[in-house]
Amino acid sequence: MILRWCVTLFLFINYWPAALAAIQYSPEKKVWVLQAGETTYAMGVNERGELQSIYWGPRVAREADFSTPRGRPEVASFDSSTSTTPQEYPGWGAELYNEPALKATYADGNRDVVLHFVDSHTEGDTLEVQLKDIASDLQVHLYYRVFEDTGIIQRWSRIENRTNQAIILESAQSAAWSLPPGEGYGWHYLTGQWGAEWQLHSEPLQTGAHVIESRRGSTSHQSNPWFAIDRPAQTTEESGPVWFGALGWSGSWRITVEQTAMRQVRVTGGFNPFDFGYRLKPGEQLETPPFYGGFTGKGRGEASRILHRFERIHILPGGENARLRPVLYNSWEATEFRVSEEGQLALAEKASKLGVERFVIDDGWFGQRKDDHAGLGDWYVNQEKFPHGLKPVIDRAHALGMDFGIWVEPEMVNPDSDLYRKHPDWAMNFPGRPRTEARNQLLLNLARADVKEYVFNWLDQLVSNNDIAFLKWDYNRNWSEPGWDAVPVEEQKKIYVTYVRNLYDILDRLRAKHPKLEIESCSGGGGRVDLGILKRTDEVWASDNTDALDRLTLQDGFTQAYTPGIMMAWVTDVPSGIDHRVVPLKFRFLVAMSGSLGLGGNLNKYSPDDLQAAARYVAFYKRIRPAVQRGALYRLIAPEDSESSATEYVSSDGRQAVLFAYLHSQQFGTPFPTVFLRGLDEDALYKVEAIDPGQVQEVGTVSGGYLMHHGIDLDLHSDYDSTSVLFEKQP
Ligand code: GLA
């Protein structure tokens, strides 16, 4: 008994600090140490009173090792201490030449902002550090929320005008992150365009400021707010240091990765300062978007897995208890705007026989929508296409065992619409200037309270009056002429913030009122995917490009930053719309099954063999879906590097692993490379089952050690051959 008590006390004393004290503060030293997952983050107040970064990297358990930082000395009169000292949140003032976190203009013309430490306090898992300008009551509150389970630190700031005159903020960043000074860094980022999002770039980090951004009012296809920095000489997919981060903002954003001549490396991100000018009246404040950062010593694969886990637990609605993504059918690529009650009913019958769980009507069901020239804004059911309303299709979908979803594009208006004829002033524009159309549409200015209420109300009515389980929320253009003449001139640039906050507000209210409603974020493909929209949507449409070969690269880029379970992926018809490529049905299915499976082809054209195969693939997907949607993703062979590619997913309970392998094109009869699995239990036995018998040599059960070290050989031949292999851990 006494022994047991002693053991308990020993464990308590030893584990108490790590478990409870994620945020440590030493008031004597004015040093904070944040312990999160495998990571330690430290900062302190230097002799001038600035909040200075000390450390971000692998866990250093002994907090006492961190001492009060000292500002870096002036190296030459051209390299001031203000610039060379890594501040946590530098104001543009004194002699700062690097990227500022805050730039402001006071009413009297003063533009000097120098922020010094005032106070701090910790509440639960969040530290708040208060800074203040040395000569005015411009205050900045910095927040650090520590996620022990993943090591992610969420940072954001709140800027408060406590002076008695207005202050204009020209740049308001969420955070500046400092990496250990030195050379030999590489950085990774994602760019793209419509139909070709998620292109991964990996480059050595050179001296200078490198900017990824969107000036488009939304997240954009062109660049995504995610970065990873590693040390290419040490870092691989499976080992070595990686610092990474992502912004939670669906408006114009910017991330600046800077390496100075003195080999200091900083990452600053938040609202895009371009055309920014947020006016704070006395007493007003502005909160910046969350900027999430993480570190791992286990390579780029682990950096992605940490982010995926973090998104599933802390970002996505429902958290870990969110339901698995259902298999859906959507007829967009089959019918485009030619939707009708009869046509949709016929497709619903066919879809349900394949095991589809959700039936979705895409664009074309509302207003006078015959093509993309008219109708956006008029959200009543088109009587010619659906003479009895939506009810017959919804009821039939339910009777067939599917729930029902529908496409909407709430932020847009066609000039050819009743809404625009009634409220031309609701469109985003500068009065008296041209209104540039894209896809024949204009943006509704969601920053306006009346527009926001209108949009919320019709969506609420649509969902209240019809049994709708799912909205595909589209957004098919970027901003232009971002005017907001309903408010005084000096307030008009607030549109960049207010629009997005109002969008979030609509989504939040809709979800609160309809707790079972699920939403997909779509923007002509993957134009609005970020950790801000993901807090309020359950899945995303990653790209309008559904060509199975292109998808492999797109999906590889997407899953660098985002969890595969939210990546809606359709099996569509061939030749593909974008590349006119003809790829076998199985390959198309297996590519889509490595995300959230959807069927997007014309089922009326499927042969009996195709229908039979499709039903078999859907059934297989349902068996592996927990591993794909909630497991750990291992990128075994990247699609960019070879004629083949392979990914593996290990379920969170470790009982199932699933491999997808694709032979893009075979040359010289070269066999498919041996595939070495990862993340298995060395000693456990796994039952091996290929989706089609004969595609793996191993039969019966083999050990995890064998699968990871000997690997397995796949019998794949010719162009576009593919397989999926399931490994079930034996009890
Ligand atoms: C966007 C979407 C497509 C489809 C069309 C409908 O392009 O990305 O999936 O919904 O709009 O107009």
Side-chain angles (χ1 to χ4, degrees):
M1 178 65 197
I2 289 184
L3 181 67
R4 196 182 326 144
W5 190 85
C6 286
V7 170
T8 311
L9 183 68
F10 172 82
L11 286 176
F12 182 77
I13 289 168
N14 274 273
Y15 289 107
W16 177 80
L20 288 187
I23 300 168
Q24 293 252 332
Y25 177 48
S26 159
E28 307 80 53
K29 292 198 274 186
K30 289 218 179 82
V31 165
W32 295 262
V33 181
L34 316 184
Q35 301 287 15
E38 300 168 24
T39 310
T40 298
Y41 189 98
M43 64 198 157
V45 178
N46 67 20
E47 73 283 9
R48 286 196 292 266
E50 295 157 353
L51 186 64
Q52 183 172 334
S53 313
I54 301 177
Y55 177 76
W56 184 24
R59 193 146 188 150
V60 177
R62 192 164 180 269
E63 280 109 15
D65 290 349
F66 295 100
S67 47
T68 309
R70 295 198 57 74
R72 302 271 157 103
E74 177 183 293
V75 180
S77 56
F78 300 97
D79 286 306
S80 71
S81 178
T82 321
S83 286
T84 57
T85 299
Q87 289 184 59
E88 285 285 295
Y89 200 82
W92 186 75
E95 212 178 346
L96 185 82
Y97 301 117
N98 308 312
E99 184 66 23
L102 184 65
K103 180 169 183 333
T105 300
Y106 291 78
D108 62 2
N110 165 42
R111 303 192 305 281
D112 184 48
V113 176
V114 177
L115 298 169
H116 281 185
F117 171 72
V118 178
D119 202 358
S120 81
H121 80 275
T122 301
E123 218 175 298
D125 57 7
T126 304
L127 165 69
E128 178 182 345
V129 183
Q130 192 186 335
L131 310 179
K132 193 185 93 56
D133 176 51
I134 48 171
S136 77
D137 238 341
L138 176 60
Q139 298 199 356
V140 174
H141 304 256
L142 301 183
Y143 295 90
Y144 299 78
R145 184 170 174 204
V146 176
F147 293 89
E148 178 59 33
D149 51 6
T150 48
I152 298 278
I153 297 174
Q154 173 185 344
R155 293 183 55 187
W156 73 100
S157 62
R158 183 164 58 83
I159 303 145
E160 208 180 338
N161 179 4
R162 293 259 190 101
T163 74
N164 52 20
Q165 287 193 301
I167 299 177
I168 295 175
L169 307 180
E170 281 123 11
S171 174
Q173 301 300 298
S174 302
W177 306 84
S178 292
L179 276 71
E183 290 186 279
Y185 284 108
W187 77 300
H188 309 263
Y189 59 101
L190 295 162
T191 68
Q193 63 184 64
W194 175 85
E197 304 87 335
W198 315 111
Q199 307 295 317
L200 178 66
H201 300 266
S202 302
E203 293 164 4
L205 189 60
Q206 309 281 9
T207 303
H210 313 279
V211 171
I212 50 173
E213 65 171 351
S214 162
R215 298 179 177 189
R216 296 164 178 262
S218 73
T219 325
S220 94
H221 301 74
Q222 281 66 21
S223 209
N224 191 267
W226 165 86
F227 74 90
I229 298 178
D230 61 7
R231 294 194 180 275
Q234 296 166 34
T235 311
T236 65
E237 180 69 15
E238 289 305 310
S239 67
V242 188
W243 294 260
F244 54 92
L247 270 174
W249 186 241
S250 315
S252 290
W253 58 272
R254 188 169 88 173
I255 294 177
T256 305
V257 178
E258 248 181 326
Q259 177 173 285
T260 68
M262 308 234 163
R263 301 293 176 263
Q264 292 181 323
V265 177
R266 297 176 201 179
V267 182
T268 311
F271 295 127
N272 196 326
F274 180 82
D275 198 35
F276 198 78
Y278 198 96
R279 185 168 180 270
L280 288 182
K281 286 192 233 140
E284 279 189 340
Q285 48 185 328
L286 173 65
E287 193 171 292
T288 58
F291 197 174
Y292 304 90
F295 170 83
T296 178
K298 296 181 186 155
R300 287 193 299 278
E302 184 65 10
S304 297
R305 287 188 287 276
I306 290 174
L307 263 179
H308 297 170
R309 222 165 52 238
F310 176 72
E311 288 153 9
R312 289 196 299 266
I313 304 173
H314 299 292
I315 298 288
L316 289 158
E320 281 186 295
N321 300 322
R323 62 184 286 231
L324 289 166
R325 304 283 76 232
V327 177
L328 68 70
Y329 177 76
N330 179 310
S331 72
W332 170 248
E333 291 202 17
T335 64
E336 297 211 332
F337 297 94
R338 297 177 302 278
V339 286
S340 66
E341 180 182 309
E342 199 191 356
Q344 294 293 303
L345 285 174
L347 287 164
E349 301 289 333
K350 294 219 154 101
S352 75
K353 292 204 180 80
L354 302 180
V356 167
E357 298 156 313
R358 170 168 290 168
F359 186 78
V360 183
I361 298 186
D362 209 278
D363 196 351
W365 60 270
F366 54 90
Q368 295 308 307
R369 187 90 167 151
K370 295 188 182 61
D371 52 30
D372 61 16
H373 285 80
L376 286 175
D378 300 340
W379 297 101
Y380 59 86
V381 180
N382 182 300
Q383 288 296 306
E384 281 165 47
K385 297 178 183 182
F386 295 94
H388 313 100
L390 297 172
K391 198 166 183 309
V393 182
I394 297 179
D395 288 350
R396 190 65 196 136
H398 290 165
L400 291 166
M402 301 181 288
D403 69 22
F404 177 80
I406 199 157
W407 181 95
V408 291
E409 196 176 2
E411 298 151 82
M412 300 289 169
V413 66
N414 287 119
D416 186 359
S417 68
D418 296 341
L419 184 72
Y420 187 77
R421 284 183 278 273
K422 195 164 164 207
H423 296 289
D425 53 324
W426 282 10
M428 191 183 283
N429 74 97
F430 291 117
R433 305 283 309 175
R435 300 174 172 205
T436 307
E437 292 176 21
R439 207 195 190 202
N440 313 300
Q441 62 198 56
L442 297 169
L443 269 135
L444 289 173
N445 182 0
L446 221 58
R448 291 175 61 124
D450 49 1
V451 174
K452 176 175 106 165
E453 280 320 296
Y454 169 82
V455 169
F456 172 79
N457 285 332
W458 77 253
L459 281 164
D460 177 36
Q461 273 168 35
L462 178 74
V463 180
S464 302
N465 299 341
N466 301 281
D467 199 343
I468 290 175
F470 171 78
L471 294 177
K472 176 176 170 183
W473 184 301
D474 213 335
Y475 179 86
N476 272 309
R477 62 160 296 177
N478 293 131
W479 289 19
S480 61
E481 299 106 8
W484 181 12
D485 65 326
V487 295
V489 172
E490 60 276 14
E491 301 285 315
Q492 290 181 2
K493 284 187 174 176
K494 284 185 174 169
I495 192 170
Y496 285 104
V497 177
T498 311
Y499 180 110
V500 181
R501 293 258 152 88
N502 284 355
L503 166 68
Y504 288 169
D505 183 62
I506 295 171
L507 287 162
D508 291 343
R509 280 159 68 199
L510 210 53
R511 295 194 75 107
K513 192 153 176 212
H514 306 279
K516 291 202 175 129
L517 180 69
E518 295 186 343
I519 302 176
E520 175 179 292
S521 172
C522 172
S523 171
R528 192 155 63 188
V529 183
D530 60 78
L531 296 187
I533 204 79
L534 285 181
K535 267 208 169 265
R536 339 175 126 88
T537 50
D538 305 271
E539 62 185 49
V540 300
W541 182 229
S543 180
D544 277 349
N545 185 343
T546 54
D547 176 274
L549 186 62
D550 283 359
R551 282 301 286 208
L552 289 173
T553 323
L554 300 180
Q555 296 183 175
D556 183 65
F558 180 95
T559 54
Q560 299 290 323
Y562 301 105
T563 183
I566 60 163
M567 181 177 68
M568 176 44 63
W570 294 353
V571 179
T572 54
D573 296 338
V574 287
S576 68
I578 286 194
D579 295 320
H580 306 280
R581 189 179 281 119
V582 178
V583 173
L585 188 68
K586 180 178 174 188
F587 193 99
R588 283 180 271 146
F589 257 96
L590 294 191
V591 171
M593 281 157 68
S594 60
S596 178
L597 176 65
L599 276 65
N602 188 347
L603 300 181
N604 297 322
K605 291 191 180 157
Y606 272 42
S607 69
D609 282 354
D610 288 347
L611 290 168
Q612 203 184 8
R616 194 163 67 80
Y617 298 140
V618 171
F620 188 80
Y621 179 70
K622 287 180 183 169
R623 287 175 64 200
I624 61 170
R625 149 166 78 177
V628 173
Q629 296 189 9
R630 298 236 179 100
L633 167 66
Y634 294 86
R635 297 184 281 257
L636 304 183
I637 307 173
E640 304 86 36
D641 300 343
S642 80
E643 301 299 340
S644 50
S645 57
T647 52
E648 178 199 354
Y649 301 76
V650 180
S651 65
S652 46
D653 62 7
R655 289 164 73 161
Q656 199 187 60
V658 58
L659 168 71
F660 291 97
Y662 313 95
L663 182 57
H664 314 167
S665 84
Q666 190 167 35
Q667 289 183 323
F668 314 113
T670 311
F672 198 88
T674 301
V675 175
F676 301 94
L677 294 167
R678 293 196 190 131
L680 303 182
D681 178 349
E682 296 251 349
D683 300 322
L685 290 179
Y686 293 84
K687 186 162 153 272
V688 181
E689 178 192 341
I691 192 164
D692 284 312
Q695 289 190 304
V696 279
Q697 287 176 7
E698 287 70 19
V699 282
T701 54
V702 280
S703 68
Y706 175 94
L707 292 167
M708 292 195 289
H709 308 311
H710 171 277
I712 60 165
D713 293 308
L714 303 170
D715 204 11
L716 298 183
H717 299 284
S718 185
D719 296 350
Y720 308 123
D721 202 358
S722 58
T723 190
S724 178
V725 188
L726 177 57
F727 304 90
E728 275 172 320
K729 194 172 176 181
Q730 299 304 290

